[in-house]
C-alpha cells in the first residue's frame, strides 16, 4: 500500500490545552491509518503535543526556524534547539512567511540546509500568486523557487526533504486547485528535484484541502500527500483527510 503524508499546519492557532485535547481526540480515530501523520504546531504547543503523541502514529513538527545555530536573533528558534526537544519536522518557506516576514528563496535555502544539517526534515513550500498564475507563469515561478531553494544541498540525508506545492491563491480561500493541475505541478516539481539532486522526493499539495476534496487529490498519481491548514484544526475533519487516498486494490 502506498503511504501518503498527511501534514497539518496549525499556523497561529491552538493553545496548549487545546493541542492536548486535539491529540487525545484524534489519536483513536487515526490509529489504524497507513498514512504518515504529521502535525506542525506553534512552538508553545510543541512540548505538550509531542508528549501526548508519544507511542502513537502521530508525529509533531513546527512551522519555522532560523538558519543560524545561535546568536543575537531576538525571538527566533534554531535547528539545534528543535533537535534538542526531539522535533523532526519543520515547515520552511511557507508563503505566509514569504509574504509577511520577507522570506526569500535564499533564506528558504539556508533554512533547508540548516534543517538537514541537524537531521530535521524540512517541508519546503513553493507556490505562485494569482497574478503569476493568470500571467501563465506558474511553471516558471515554481521551477525558480525549487532551483533557488535547493541550491548546494549536499547533506547525506537529502532523502529527508519533502516539498509542498501550495498555490497562494488557493490558501485559506476555499478555491482549491483542480486535482489535475495539482497533479501536473507536483510532477513538474518531482522531475525538477530529480534533475537537480537526483533523488525522489515526496511532493504534497496544499491549499483549501478538506475532508470532501482530499480523496480525489490523494488519488492522483503524482501527489504524495497534503499539507492542510484550516481543516487540520478539527480532529474529525482531519481524521477523515488522514484516511483518504487509498487506491483501489492497495
Ligand atoms: P488552508 O488549508 O487553510 O487553505 O491552508 C493551507 C496551508 O497554508 C497549509 O500550509
Amino acid at each position: 500500500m502506498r503511504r501518503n503524508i498527511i501534514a497539518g499546519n496549525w499556523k497561529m492557532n491552538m493553545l496548549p490545552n487545546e493541542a492536548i485535547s486535539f491529540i487525545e481526540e484524534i489519536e483513536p480515530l487515526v490509529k489504524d491509518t497507513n498514512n504518515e501523520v504529521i502535525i506542525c504546531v506553534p512552538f508553545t504547543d510543541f512540548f505538550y503535543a509531542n508528549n501526548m503523541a508519544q507511542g502513537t502514529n502521530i508525529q509533531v513538527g513546527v512551522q519555522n526556524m532560523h538558519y543560524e545555530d545561535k546568536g543575537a536573533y531576538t525571538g527566533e528558534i534554531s535547528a539545534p534547539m528543535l533537535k534538542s526537544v526531539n522535533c523532526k519536522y519543520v515547515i520552511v518557506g511557507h508563503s505566509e512567511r514569504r509574504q509577511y516576514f520577507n522570506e526569500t528563496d535564499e533564506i528558504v535555502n539556508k533554512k533547508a540546509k540548516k534543517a538537514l544539517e541537524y537531521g530535521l526534515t524540512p517541508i519546503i513550500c513553493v507556490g505562485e500568486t494569482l497574478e503569476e498564475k493568470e500571467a501563465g507563469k506558474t511553471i516558471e515561478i515554481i521551477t525558480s523557487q525549487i532551483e533557488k531553494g535547493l541550491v548546494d544541498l549536499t547533506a547525506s540525508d537529502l532523502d529527508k526533504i519533502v516539498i509542498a506545492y501550495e498555490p497562494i491563491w488557493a490558501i485559506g480561500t476555499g478555491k482549491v486547485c483542480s486535482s489535475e493541475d495539482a497533479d501536473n505541478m507536483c510532477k513538474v516539481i518531482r522531475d525538477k528535484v530529480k534533475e537537480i539532486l537526483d533523488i525522489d522526493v515526496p511532493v504534497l499539495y496544499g491549499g483549501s484541502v478538506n475532508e470532501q476534496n482530499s480523496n480525489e487529490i490523494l488519488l492522483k498519481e503524482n501527489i504524495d500527500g497534503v499539507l492542510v491548514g484550516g481543516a487540520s484544526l478539527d480532529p474529525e475533519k482531519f481524521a477523515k483527510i488522514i484516511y483518504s487516498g487509498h487506491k483501489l486494490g492497495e
Side-chain angles (χ1 to χ4, degrees), residues 9 11 94 96 166 170-172 207-209 227-230:
N9 173 8
K11 307 193 178 180
H94 190 280
E96 286 150 15
E166 297 206 306
I171 294 179
S208 296
V209 173
L227 183 54
V228 186

Side-chain angles (χ1 to χ4, degrees), residues 141-158:
I141 295 291
I142 301 301
T143 303
S144 156
Q145 288 177 349
I146 291 286
E147 279 170 352
K148 292 179 182 158
L150 301 185
V151 166
D152 288 341
L153 290 191
T154 51
S156 56
D157 48 1
L158 281 180

Side-chain angles (χ1 to χ4, degrees), residues 12-232:
M12 197 172 71
N13 294 290
M14 301 287 239
L15 300 175
N17 62 328
E18 295 170 317
I20 290 170
S21 306
F22 181 99
I23 306 264
E24 270 173 349
E25 226 177 295
I26 201 168
E27 190 275 324
L29 304 179
V30 303
K31 64 180 172 30
D32 297 322
T33 184
N34 287 304
N35 287 335
E36 192 173 341
V37 182
I38 304 165
I39 304 176
C40 295
V41 305
F43 294 124
T44 43
D45 290 342
F46 181 84
F47 172 81
Y48 302 95
N50 198 41
N51 266 354
M52 285 304 296
Q54 290 311 302
T56 76
N57 57 348
I58 300 166
Q59 305 185 78
V60 182
V62 296
Q63 305 164 17
N64 183 35
M65 54 166 260
H66 197 270
Y67 53 78
E68 293 291 353
D69 285 347
K70 61 180 177 177
Y73 298 99
T74 302
E76 292 292 317
I77 300 277
S78 70
M81 290 172 179
L82 294 177
K83 188 178 160 135
S84 75
V85 293
N86 284 325
C87 177
K88 301 203 169 58
Y89 295 88
V90 56
I91 298 175
V92 169
H94 190 280
S95 63
E96 286 150 15
R97 303 258 356 140
R98 294 179 190 253
Q99 185 182 351
Y100 303 128
F101 303 96
N102 304 322
E103 276 189 21
T104 60
D105 290 323
E106 289 67 32
I107 292 174
V108 172
N109 176 243
K110 285 185 183 178
K111 291 186 175 191
K113 275 190 208 159
K114 190 54 77 174
L116 288 170
E117 184 185 327
Y118 281 89
L120 299 162
T121 293
I123 303 174
I124 304 172
C125 300
V126 295
E128 82 284 6
T129 63
L130 186 58
E131 296 72 52
E132 289 161 349
K133 173 184 159 63
E134 286 175 347
K137 291 190 172 158
T138 301
I139 292 186
E140 184 189 323
I141 295 291
I142 301 301
T143 303
S144 156
Q145 288 177 349
I146 291 286
E147 279 170 352
K148 292 179 182 158
L150 301 185
V151 166
D152 288 341
L153 290 191
T154 51
S156 56
D157 48 1
L158 281 180
D159 58 340
K160 283 211 163 114
I161 296 173
V162 175
I163 310 275
Y165 170 56
E166 297 206 306
I168 295 168
W169 48 270
I171 294 179
T173 57
K175 284 187 202 151
V176 67
C177 179
S178 79
S179 55
E180 288 73 28
D181 286 353
D183 190 47
N184 287 340
M185 280 316 299
C186 287
K187 178 160 174 33
V188 168
I189 291 168
R190 185 191 328 283
D191 291 349
K192 192 74 208 168
V193 177
K194 179 94 187 158
E195 184 190 315
I196 301 172
L197 298 176
D198 198 24
I199 51 163
D200 285 312
V201 285
V203 186
L204 318 185
Y205 167 77
S208 296
V209 173
N210 58 38
E211 70 288 5
Q212 270 120 40
N213 58 29
S214 54
N215 204 45
E216 179 182 338
I217 293 168
L218 286 165
L219 284 174
K220 288 290 175 197
E221 188 184 342
N222 295 294
I223 300 180
D224 302 311
V226 284
L227 183 54
V228 186
S232 74

